Each structure stands twice: as C-alpha cells, then as structure tokens.
Amino acid sequence: MQSKRHAKKLTSSTGVMSSNKVETSIAAVDAGLEGAFIPLLRAEYIAPFVARLKDFDNNVYPLIEQAGLPASLLTSNHDYVSEQAVLNLLKLISAKLGSKRFSEWLFQVARTIFVPQHLAKITLNGTVKQAIVDFTHVVNLESKQTNVHLKTGLGKVWFVRHRLKNDPIENSVAEQFALTMMVELVRSLTQAQWQPADIALQSATEVDYLNVLKLNQPQVFYGRQVTALSISDSVLAGKVKLKHGWQGVMIPVVEGPKGFVESLQFALLPYLSLGRIPVTTAADLLGLSVRTLQRRLSEEGMSYRQMIEGICFKQAKEMLSDGAISVTQISATLGYSDVAHFSRAFKRMSGHSPRVFRQNISIDQ
C-alpha cells in the first residue's frame, strides 16, 4: 500500500486539482450526453484482450458467457461490443485472480495489446505532446462515453480522463484500466520508466495497484471528479522515442455511433444469431433497466420490436449483397428459425423476397 504521505483527499481550494477549472470543464461538455447513446468499445481492441484470458484459463467461454459478451467474439468480425459486458468481464477476472495478480495481468495486457493498438492510430514523428493529443482525438472519436484531454490547471499540464457513468464498483475497475493505459502510453512514447509528479483519482479510498505500475513517487489525490496525471513540460516537448524495431502500420480511425438507436443496434448486432433477443435480456446486456430502454426508444419514435427488425433488415441487405453467402446461412446468422420465416419477414420489410432482392442487386451492378 501507499504511504499516507502520498495519499490525500483534498477539500481546500488551494491543493492540487482542487480547482474546478480542470474537472468541470469536461463535465460541462458531457452533461447532456449521458443516456444519449449506448457505451460501446471497438471489438478490434477487445477480441485480442479476451483471447489473453487463456493466460490463466484454457476454457475462456464460461467467463465470456457470464460477462454477457457474445460467444462469437473470438470467431467473428464484430464492429463493437457493449462496454457494460467488458466491465463485467474485468470484475469477474479481478475476483478470480485477486487484486495483485489482476493488476499485474492488466499491466501486461495494456503494454502488449492496447498501447500498440493505439500507437498504430496516431502520428509518432513529432513531440510527445503531439502524440498524446492525437491519442485523445482517437479515444474521443471512437468512444463517446469517455473524454480524454490535455488540460492546463494550477500551473501544470494534466492528462485527464472523465467517465460519464457513475457506478462506484464499475468506476473502480474502469479507472484502474484507464490509469494503466495512460501511464503505459507515456512510457511507450518516451521509452523511459516515466512517473507523473501528481495523480488524481476518482476513487475515494487508497488503491494498491499503483505499486504494480511502479508508481511509488507521485503525490496521489483521491475523491476527484476525474482521473488525471500531471506531465512536465520537458516530457511533453521531447521527441517521441519508440521501441527499437517498431514498425507500426497506420490503422484508420472509425468514429463511434452518434445516436442512441445506432449505438443500440451496434451493441445488439453480435447477439442476433441467438434469435429474437427479449427486451429483458437486451437491458441486462447493456446495464439498463427495461423501463429506461423502452423509454429511450419511445423518445426516438420506435418500439423495441421495430428496432430489432431494423437491425435484421439492415444486416440481411448487407449479407445479400455478397453472393457467396447463401440465404439459408443468412437466415441462421440472423437467428430466424427457418428460411421461410426469414423470407416472410424480409419481404414484409422490403417488398421483395431475399432471392428477388439479390437478383435486383446483380442487375443494378
């Protein structure tokens, strides 16, 4: 554990990070966003992460199922997965491994998977500051539930992360992951065992994972509205130094879904092969109440059934444009009981049978 001289919960207006300028500037931007979308994470990040569960368990599927992640995550190319399911998984892993072993495992996963994935999406031929700014743009574009920024406050530059959801247990796990990622990103850009002078945490109590991250020098402040690290001007002004042999290939950044319905459709798409997803199951998967889910859809002018049919119809049209995928395979992939049921549903929505729709695509091409 950290010594008490390193742990502070600030209440005065004179201490580090006590100014509202850094904390509320982000919160003000986000105030109207909570509930406007379903929090999602790019599956390209999560699938390799889930594969690393085999580090301690050869059969990973019970954990995947218990967390609420799609069973096809490791075998299919999904765009997104629900953030709620990933947080469920992190909590399960933490309980299984224990605090210290979980922290060590997360540290290794961040270094070997998440940091390299993000380095491949940012410009690395400039300063550390430019690279971090690029990183914040990537995160904020891809993930609507988290805001990451460089902010100046109290004479220091802070690498700040603000998360919308306010669940103490989930925030603790999410904050540990975020802090690990932020620290290892700076270390990767500087190729040094970098340590921030100050750390601000949303956690109200001392955390023991700082030792695993080899963070034994910073001044730590608990009970803040954001997670933040101070970075010196000299570090920010330095040129990016990459590990010898780094040959990253730039990967395009895809903006995350903007609205509630679109994000909900992406969240549920990986589960369609299970059949018609009951609204109660969907709400559980997304960490919502049924009432909230139905109310939000009603505000968008549609019912849950209409939304599910819309997902199936959109996916069916995309798959029908690929002549290599049979109608039978499409029917099964979308969770229909048989081809006849799928054909009737598709004709009701499009005015054509799947085979006629496919023929029309071929003629248009």
Side-chain angles (χ1 to χ4, degrees):
M1 286 292 281
Q2 245 178 301
S3 63
K4 290 187 181 295
R5 71 185 184 87
H6 287 155
K8 293 187 178 181
K9 183 174 181 179
L10 299 184
T11 55
S12 71
S13 61
T14 58
V16 177
M17 290 296 290
S18 60
S19 169
N20 287 334
K21 291 182 180 179
V22 175
E23 297 181 1
T24 60
S25 60
I26 299 172
V29 173
D30 298 332
L33 294 180
E34 189 167 5
F37 48 82
I38 298 296
L40 301 172
L41 295 172
R42 294 287 304 172
E44 67 188 273
Y45 301 138
I46 305 305
F49 165 72
V50 170
R52 285 292 299 269
L53 297 179
K54 294 180 181 178
D55 290 348
F56 54 84
D57 196 333
N58 288 329
N59 184 8
V60 302
Y61 286 98
L63 270 177
I64 292 174
E65 181 180 358
Q66 193 175 353
L69 284 164
S72 58
L73 179 61
L74 298 179
T75 57
S76 300
N77 294 322
H78 300 302
D79 291 312
Y80 297 94
V81 293
S82 162
E83 183 202 56
Q84 181 63 50
V86 176
L87 289 174
N88 292 343
L89 181 64
L90 287 173
K91 289 186 286 185
L92 289 169
I93 299 171
S94 179
K96 183 180 181 70
L97 298 182
S99 176
K100 185 174 186 296
R101 192 178 170 202
F102 172 70
S103 298
E104 292 170 343
W105 180 79
L106 195 63
F107 173 60
Q108 291 300 325
V109 168
R111 293 181 65 186
T112 59
I113 295 179
F114 290 106
V115 169
Q117 285 177 320
H118 283 83
L119 288 179
K121 295 187 176 184
I122 63 179
T123 303
L124 299 172
N125 56 2
T127 64
V128 171
K129 181 177 181 179
Q130 289 169 335
I132 294 176
V133 169
D134 273 2
F135 169 80
T136 65
H137 291 163
V138 170
V139 172
N140 295 335
L141 193 66
E142 292 184 336
S143 175
K144 304 300 183 184
Q145 66 270 20
T146 301
N147 272 278
V148 186
H149 298 278
L150 281 182
K151 291 286 182 180
T152 300
L154 304 173
K156 297 184 179 184
V157 178
W158 299 86
F159 189 7
V160 183
R161 169 258 192 192
H162 174 68
R163 173 177 157 78
L164 291 180
K165 289 187 72 175
N166 189 29
D167 180 287
I169 297 177
E170 289 181 3
N171 279 352
S172 176
V173 175
E175 181 167 61
Q176 180 177 355
F177 175 80
L179 184 70
T180 301
M181 181 72 185
M182 293 162 73
V183 169
E184 285 307 304
L185 176 70
V186 179
R187 288 174 175 172
S188 293
L189 294 172
T190 59
Q191 287 300 297
Q193 194 61 24
W194 173 81
Q195 296 211 26
D198 311 279
I199 297 176
L201 295 176
Q202 291 178 284
S203 173
T205 57
E206 290 186 45
V207 296
D208 56 10
Y209 56 78
L210 298 183
N211 291 328
V212 173
L213 293 175
K214 299 179 175 61
L215 295 174
N216 50 16
Q217 297 177 8
Q219 189 87 337
V220 183
F221 304 91
Y222 293 93
R224 311 317 301 154
Q225 293 182 12
V226 297
T227 306
L229 310 169
S230 66
I231 306 179
S232 69
D233 291 336
S234 61
V235 169
L236 290 171
K239 283 284 189 179
V240 170
K241 299 177 182 178
L242 295 174
K243 186 176 181 180
H244 180 70
W246 169 262
Q247 295 181 344
V249 178
M250 286 295 290
I251 299 174
V253 181
V254 180
E255 183 173 8
K258 295 180 179 179
F260 181 82
V261 173
E262 186 183 9
S263 62
L264 178 59
Q265 290 174 333
F266 271 112
L268 296 181
L269 186 58
Y271 304 95
L272 286 187
S273 61
L274 301 177
R276 306 298 89 181
I277 309 170
V279 65
T280 52
T281 302
D284 286 341
L285 288 171
L286 304 174
L288 300 173
S289 69
V290 172
R291 183 176 180 179
T292 296
L293 178 55
Q294 291 177 325
R295 175 179 58 79
R296 288 295 291 113
L297 283 171
S298 178
E299 291 171 357
E300 300 288 341
M302 67 173 60
S303 67
Y304 178 76
R305 179 179 177 179
Q306 289 172 324
M307 188 274 304
I308 289 292
E309 288 182 344
I311 300 176
C312 292
F313 184 52
K314 179 180 178 181
Q315 191 71 1
K317 288 191 295 182
E318 292 180 2
M319 297 177 76
L320 284 167
S321 66
D322 184 347
I325 307 176
S326 70
V327 173
T328 300
Q329 186 178 350
I330 295 172
S331 172
T333 299
L334 297 179
Y336 287 92
S337 56
D338 51 51
V339 176
H341 183 197
F342 166 63
S343 296
R344 287 194 298 271
F346 188 85
K347 187 172 184 178
R348 184 176 69 252
M349 290 182 280
S350 71
H352 301 285
S353 70
R355 298 187 192 282
V356 171
F357 183 87
R358 173 170 275 174
Q359 289 170 359
N360 290 340
I361 292 176
S362 300
I363 293 172
D364 292 338
Q365 291 176 342

